Amino acid sequence: MEDDSRPLLSSEQTGEDYLQRDSTNSLDLRTKRPFHVERKNIINDGPQETVSAEAAVLNSRLHYYSRLMGSSDRQLSPPDHVIPQPDEIYIYSPLGTAFKVPGSDHTSKNPSIITIFAIWNTMMGTSILSMPWGIKQAGFTLGVFIVIFIGLLMLYCCYIVLKSPKSIPCVDTSDWEFPDVCQYYFGKVGQWSSLMFSMVSLVGAMVVYWVLMSNFLFNTGQFIYNHVHNINVSDSELETNGSEKVICPYPNTNPGGNNTISTLYLSDNGNMSDVNPFERYWSKTNTVPFYLIILLLPLLCFRSASFFARFTFLGTISVVYLIVLVTVKAVRLGFHLEFHWFDKTEFYVPEFRLLFPQLTGVLTLAFFIHNCIITLMKNNKDQENNVRDLSVAYLLVGLTYLYVGVLIFAAFPSPPLFKDCIQPNFLDNFPSSDIMVFVARTFLLFQMITVYPLLGYLVRVQMMGQLFGNHYPSFLHVLILNILIVGAGVLMATFYPNIGSIIRFSGAICGLALVFVFPALVHMITLRRQGMLRWTSAISHSLLILLGVANLVAQFFM
């Protein structure tokens, strides 16, 4: 009798359920049981309706199964064909009336167009600022080919990641992410290695953000100071004349090497006695990176980052404005292209350069979304269109990167400047007095200030959750972690503010595991267990792993 009185719609879970789910919010349909009700009235938005005969029979069956099922026996639970659909679930009252359950899963699903632009918006990051530099490092023709090739390669690996949970038989993988798949196949090694490489991508992105925020804050302050004091100064000795100025900020360094920026910055402000007080206390490398600590370190210590998630729309606005900026600059400057296939000239770089691995490293991070693609696709309304929508999103991302990279490279005025002057952050090729660039830097600064705590929150959740089983073990734990992350950003912004190199190393390291090695191994193991692995597939996916290793090793020789 005690079992008969237990309601069928219950939020309780057995111990087995907790092992298969991360939280009580992920209840499946088997735990959502309507109360038993006789044929009474249903209260809905419209007029009252009589319960249909089919619904009454369904309730009778559920009531019958509830008598058979014990408190912990899952074998006698109602089968799938007895469980009502999500939009047919009602909560019944003792008076015989029923209210339809609002907010079922289908109401929160997104159409394909929303899913596509969500992926596009998530993938668009700081790498877009380095696209012209990456194409310059590889050569124009080879650079365009590499963007297309790496984009297709990353799309295929992302497709493997997306379908990997569904390839695991006899296990509920509805709430799994790719690290869970890695743990299933490779045990603790897969779990901790996927966590480590995920940390590399997140911390690398935070370091790049700190360098860029220091850059944008410095140039914004410099613009305001010059405008208030009516100061008109030249940013560089090597620049173009006219209304659309383009500068070469570091002409005396080796542009083709890896020390384009760091050489000058290490000697920057070496003689502080010859500068005015503003320049002494407003330095791009010596002071501004430390000023950001006052603002951002307290924000990182917030227990929740939900407040900052409201400002993610600034990312879309920033990217759209960058596209407009690039278009306007290209129209005003015109195209400056000459094709020299292997030989370098005074103003132009060859079409094929041995520095192309720098572009592949940048693109590995630019197209990286593999650690969250499963979650993004779960909200897609039409699951059968997942592969199509993912392909369209990658196409849009690739076109955006190509548009910015090709236009800036082609419009860069050569002569009088040489193409090797293109900087890892192409906004540095425009003077601080440029109003359009000032607006772009301001947009990006505010966007990164809101995104930076979100990245720190992700690092904290993954790191603390694995180490201590608690996302916020104590304020001291969180403070120490945040000091280490902020310290890494300050050091790089002070001594080596080359975002191109930071991005390419981060991309190559995290891409080695989460893009090339683990997806390829998971795919081959799945095919082998299904008896479908062929030599051609084994060889091609082994080459994919070797390509990831070569991409990482090559970064140390550039």
Side-chain angles (χ1 to χ4, degrees):
M1 294 300 294
E2 181 179 357
D3 290 338
D4 292 345
S5 62
R6 180 182 294 110
L8 294 174
L9 185 62
S10 174
S11 60
E12 296 180 357
Q13 287 181 291
T14 64
E16 181 182 358
D17 293 329
Y18 276 107
L19 294 176
Q20 296 180 356
R21 296 172 177 82
D22 292 334
S23 65
T24 56
N25 294 329
S26 58
L27 295 173
D28 59 10
L29 292 178
R30 290 180 176 274
T31 60
K32 297 178 179 178
R33 311 283 184 229
F35 290 97
H36 174 68
V37 65
E38 301 298 333
R39 297 185 60 178
K40 302 292 183 180
N41 292 331
I42 291 180
I43 296 179
N44 207 337
D45 295 336
Q48 291 186 348
E49 301 175 359
T50 303
V51 177
S52 64
E54 181 182 359
V57 172
L58 178 63
N59 284 323
S60 299
R61 289 177 180 174
L62 288 173
H63 191 59
Y64 170 73
Y65 277 103
S66 70
R67 292 177 178 271
L68 295 178
M69 185 176 65
S71 59
S72 61
D73 186 6
R74 303 285 291 174
Q75 300 297 323
L76 298 177
S77 60
D80 292 338
H81 69 275
V82 176
I83 304 299
Q85 297 298 320
D87 55 352
E88 297 175 353
I89 295 178
Y90 293 83
I91 298 178
Y92 296 93
S93 72
L95 299 178
T97 55
F99 297 85
K100 191 165 186 175
V101 177
S104 299
D105 290 340
H106 73 284
T107 60
S108 61
K109 298 296 184 180
N110 297 323
S112 292
I113 188 67
I114 300 298
T115 302
I116 290 171
F117 278 98
I119 298 173
W120 175 85
N121 187 40
T122 304
M123 214 181 303
M124 281 289 113
T126 55
S127 302
I128 193 173
L129 299 175
S130 297
M131 282 300 140
W133 173 81
I135 291 178
K136 180 260 294 185
Q137 296 297 87
F140 181 72
T141 301
L142 182 59
V144 172
F145 172 78
I146 288 178
V147 172
I148 298 173
F149 175 74
I150 296 297
L152 293 175
L153 201 63
M154 297 285 286
L155 170 61
Y156 174 70
C157 295
C158 196
Y159 163 73
I160 295 178
V161 172
L162 180 62
K163 73 172 186 178
S164 60
K166 301 178 182 178
S167 303
I168 299 176
C170 304
V171 178
D172 181 14
T173 60
S174 58
D175 296 324
W176 281 25
E177 275 293 344
F178 191 60
D180 300 312
V181 177
C182 294
Q183 182 179 3
Y184 173 82
Y185 283 105
F186 310 111
K188 290 295 183 180
V189 175
Q191 176 187 3
W192 287 102
S193 59
S194 62
L195 172 66
M196 181 186 70
F197 287 107
S198 179
M199 290 297 99
V200 169
S201 64
L202 290 173
V203 175
M206 296 182 73
V207 171
V208 172
Y209 270 46
W210 199 277
V211 175
L212 287 174
M213 286 186 294
S214 301
N215 184 311
F216 297 150
L217 181 59
F218 169 80
N219 284 284
T220 302
Q222 190 74 49
F223 176 88
I224 296 174
Y225 178 82
N226 292 341
H227 182 74
V228 170
H229 294 83
N230 295 319
I231 299 176
N232 186 10
V233 297
S234 175
D235 291 77
S236 174
E237 295 179 357
L238 188 57
E239 62 181 16
T240 59
N241 296 321
S243 58
E244 290 298 327
K245 282 191 175 183
V246 180
I247 65 174
C248 186
Y250 315 114
N252 297 324
T253 58
N254 178 18
N258 198 28
N259 58 348
T260 307
I261 292 181
S262 60
T263 303
L264 188 71
Y265 276 175
L266 287 175
S267 61
D268 189 23
N269 293 334
N271 186 3
M272 300 297 295
S273 60
D274 297 334
V275 297
N276 61 43
F278 175 77
E279 293 177 349
R280 182 181 296 113
Y281 297 108
W282 195 256
S283 169
K284 185 183 294 187
T285 58
N286 294 337
T287 59
V288 173
F290 295 91
Y291 295 157
L292 288 171
I293 299 177
I294 303 174
L295 172 64
L296 293 175
L297 185 58
L299 297 181
L300 285 177
C301 296
F302 280 18
R303 185 178 293 270
S304 173
S306 59
F307 172 77
F308 304 102
R310 303 174 186 177
F311 299 95
T312 53
F313 69 93
L314 291 175
T316 304
I317 296 175
S318 301
V319 174
V320 172
Y321 183 80
L322 276 179
I323 295 174
V324 173
L325 171 67
V326 168
T327 305
V328 172
K329 294 297 183 182
V331 170
R332 293 179 179 178
L333 292 171
F335 287 168
H336 303 270
L337 288 174
E338 286 186 10
F339 296 93
H340 303 274
W341 298 104
F342 300 101
D343 299 326
K344 179 181 178 181
T345 64
E346 181 180 2
F347 298 107
Y348 296 94
V349 297
E351 300 301 304
F352 300 91
R353 304 183 74 181
L354 294 179
L355 297 172
F356 70 89
Q358 296 187 5
L359 176 59
T360 61
V362 170
L363 290 173
T364 307
L365 191 63
F367 286 109
F368 181 72
I369 198 175
H370 301 62
N371 58 347
C372 62
I373 188 60
I374 298 176
T375 299
L376 289 174
M377 281 303 187
K378 282 179 183 177
N379 294 324
N380 199 14
K381 184 177 182 181
D382 300 316
Q383 291 292 306
E384 65 274 9
N385 296 332
N386 278 352
V387 176
R388 182 201 67 184
D389 296 344
L390 179 64
S391 303
V392 173
Y394 260 84
L395 175 63
L396 291 179
V397 172
L399 290 177
T400 305
Y401 287 150
L402 280 175
Y403 185 83
V404 173
V406 168
L407 279 190
I408 290 296
F409 181 90
F412 195 80
S414 301
L417 306 181
F418 44 90
K419 295 290 186 181
D420 254 330
C421 277
I422 298 177
Q423 298 300 303
N425 174 8
F426 76 84
L427 294 179
D428 287 340
N429 286 115
F430 297 97
S432 60
S433 58
D434 192 310
I435 296 180
M436 289 193 67
V437 177
F438 164 75
V439 174
R441 286 170 173 150
T442 305
F443 264 130
L444 290 169
L445 177 61
F446 281 105
Q447 182 238 340
M448 291 180 180
I449 289 176
T450 58
V451 172
Y452 189 84
L454 288 175
L455 295 176
Y457 178 77
L458 293 176
V459 172
R460 182 211 312 167
V461 167
Q462 295 188 31
M463 183 68 70
M464 297 298 182
Q466 290 291 334
L467 295 178
F468 303 103
N470 188 345
H471 298 166
Y472 203 98
S474 71
F475 177 77
L476 182 60
H477 287 81
V478 174
L479 181 62
I480 293 174
L481 175 64
N482 292 335
I483 289 176
L484 294 176
I485 296 173
V486 169
V490 172
L491 289 175
M492 296 301 291
T494 303
F495 297 106
Y496 193 74
N498 190 332
I499 66 167
S501 293
I502 301 173
I503 291 174
R504 65 186 179 91
F505 273 102
S506 301
I509 293 173
C510 73
L512 172 64
L514 299 179
V515 175
F516 296 105
V517 175
F518 283 154
L521 289 178
V522 166
H523 184 69
M524 287 190 289
I525 293 174
T526 302
L527 291 180
R528 185 174 180 274
R529 291 182 176 180
Q530 296 174 353
M532 300 173 59
L533 182 63
R534 302 293 181 264
W535 284 108
T536 54
S537 179
I539 293 175
S540 60
H541 289 86
S542 298
L543 291 176
L544 191 63
I545 296 175
L546 292 178
L547 185 62
V549 174
N551 183 38
L552 175 59
V553 173
Q555 305 304 321
F556 295 94
F557 297 94
M558 295 294 108

